[in-house]
């Protein structure tokens, strides 16, 4: 018992001696952050509160359900969660070097040389070892492992955010394709009605064969546009199914088009909030902090290391009194010549930190670009949709007037043909501009960090 107390006392004293640290003081790299955004929209300090479950602001219960399913079943998210557990295991393993190691062993034997001679013996041994962290090498490695663990957590959050973005964008793509197909089918119906009229007038000698061929060509062109749109719709739906972790067969969405969702107004938060809100930026900084700690571990390796050990054993032999034995030892290891190994390790650690500083700054700049691009697209797509909606309205009016005039014999068929083509093109353009607006809204939410909170 006294010996065990001595071991504990020795270990505690050793721990108190390990107080040095070679890790450089960490400072977040300076990056030019603008006071506001150029892409329009007033910043709002309270805007971040509106980003929680940002997809719900599109007022689509179906999208809410799909998003929950994706976050629960998406395979990329599942893989990212597994990397967190790997990093957690690495952290536990690394932290073990900060504590004493206790090992036990035992043996027993029995020997009988003749019927009247029996010998039995047993022995047990308890060993405590502790690497004295005089220069903070193990603490630096533990700090690096902890920051690597944090980086894996932030990486998983970035993966979640990417999945959320893809689910919303793909869902809106599906709805826009449904709208485009609906307009194409309506144009096909109008083209068939016009063909019937041209065929009747051709029989009566009022229209030439050229007019009939032109309308048949127009009808075939509209028909040809449908398979491509339908194939794009299938591809979008199967992509959405995969994001949800489902097999793509038989998957569909209930919403009929973009009119079933609402476009939210978004107030961008201050640019400086990106440093804390975007998980990719936090991941880059965690990796940088890990590299900073690695420098401390590489520096500490230049200095001597001291290992302490103590053991307590008991041996018992049949018919004899048990014998106890104990020992305390220490070993000092000092590097003398490593042929550049230690210097190379330090050089690598310092160069990696320089690299990750550049990576961090690049990530911040990329995030600022993403917000500006999303804000710009929000503005330009809104203006474009307004102009195209006017063009579509006028195209419909031109078609109705030219068709009525053609039936009355007052307009040429070329006017009707041009009006038909213009109507289909303008409607399709409106839907694509509308999709751009929804995509810009998704991009802006994601560029601001989504609903993630550090």
């Amino acid at each position: 018992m006294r010996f065990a107390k001595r071991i504990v006392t020795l270990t505690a004293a050793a721990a108190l001696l390990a107080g040095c640290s070679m890790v450089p003081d960490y400072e977040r790299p300076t990056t030019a952050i603008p006071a506001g955004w150029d892409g329009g929209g007033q910043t709002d300090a309270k805007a971040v509160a509106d980003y929680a479950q940002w997809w719900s602001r599109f007022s689509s219960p179906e999208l809410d359900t799909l998003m929950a399913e994706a976050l629960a079943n998406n395979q990329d998210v599942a893989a990212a969660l597994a990397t967190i557990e790997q990093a957690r295991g690495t952290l536990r393993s690394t932290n073990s070097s900060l504590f004493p190691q206790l090992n036990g062993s035992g043996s027993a034997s029995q020997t009988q040389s003749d019927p009247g001679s029996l010998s039995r013996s047993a022995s047990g041994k308890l060993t405590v070892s502790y690497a004295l962290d005089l220069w903070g090498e193990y603490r630096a490695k533990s700090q690096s492992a902890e920051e690597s663990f944090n980086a894996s957590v932030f990486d998983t959050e970035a993966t979640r955010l990417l999945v959320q973005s893809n689910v919303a964008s793909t869902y809106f793509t599906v709805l826009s394709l449904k709208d485009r197909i609906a307009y194409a089918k309506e144009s096909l119906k109008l083209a068939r009605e016009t063909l019937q009229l041209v065929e009747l007038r051709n029989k009566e000698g009022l229209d030439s064969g050229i007019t009939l061929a032109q309308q048949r060509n127009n009808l075939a062109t509209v028909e040809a546009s449908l398979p491509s749109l339908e194939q794009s719709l299938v591809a979008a739906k199967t992509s959405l199914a995969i994001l949800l972790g489902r097999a793509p067969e038989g998957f569909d969405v209930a919403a009929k088009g973009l009119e079933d969702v609402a476009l939210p107004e978004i107030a961008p938060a201050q640019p400086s909030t990106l440093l804390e809100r975007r998980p990719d930026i936090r991941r880059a900084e965690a990796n940088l902090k890990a590299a900073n700690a690695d420098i401390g571990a590489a520096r500490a390796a230049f200095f001597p290391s001291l290992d302490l050990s103590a053991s307590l054993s008991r041996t018992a032999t049949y018919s004899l009194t048990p014998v106890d034995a104990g020992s305390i030892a220490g070993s000092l290891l000092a590097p003398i010549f490593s042929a550049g190994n230690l210097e190379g390790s330090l050089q690598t650690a310092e160069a990696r930190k320089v690299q990750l500083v550049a990576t961090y700054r690049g990530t911040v700049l990329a995030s600022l670009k993403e917000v500006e691009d999303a804000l710009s697209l929000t503005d330009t797509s809104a203006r474009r949709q307004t102009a195209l909606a006017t063009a579509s309205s006028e195209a419909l009016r031109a078609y109705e007037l030219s068709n009525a005039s053609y039936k009355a014999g007052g307009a040429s068929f070329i006017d009707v043909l041009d009006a038909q083509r213009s109507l289909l093109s303008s409607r399709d353009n409106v839907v694509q501009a509308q999709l751009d607006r929804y995509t810009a809204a998704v991009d802006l939410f994601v560029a601001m960090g989504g609903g993630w909170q550090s």
Side-chain angles (χ1 to χ4, degrees), residues 220-270:
T221 300
V222 177
E223 287 179 328
S225 68
L226 274 170
S228 177
L229 291 173
E230 290 168 347
Q231 175 56 37
S232 296
L233 177 59
V234 170
K237 289 194 293 186
T238 54
S239 295
L240 183 55
I242 297 301
L243 287 169
L244 303 181
R246 293 195 201 179
E249 289 76 13
F251 176 79
D252 201 356
V253 299
K256 301 301 181 183
L258 289 174
E259 71 277 2
D260 290 343
V261 293
L263 186 67
E265 292 290 334
I266 309 171
Q270 296 286 346

Side-chain angles (χ1 to χ4, degrees), residues 51 129 161 326 340 408 416:
Y51 297 163
S129 60
L161 192 56
V416 178

Side-chain angles (χ1 to χ4, degrees), residues 31-36 270-273 275 364 368:
T31 308
I33 303 294
Q270 296 286 346
S272 59
T273 64
L275 300 183
V364 173
L368 296 173

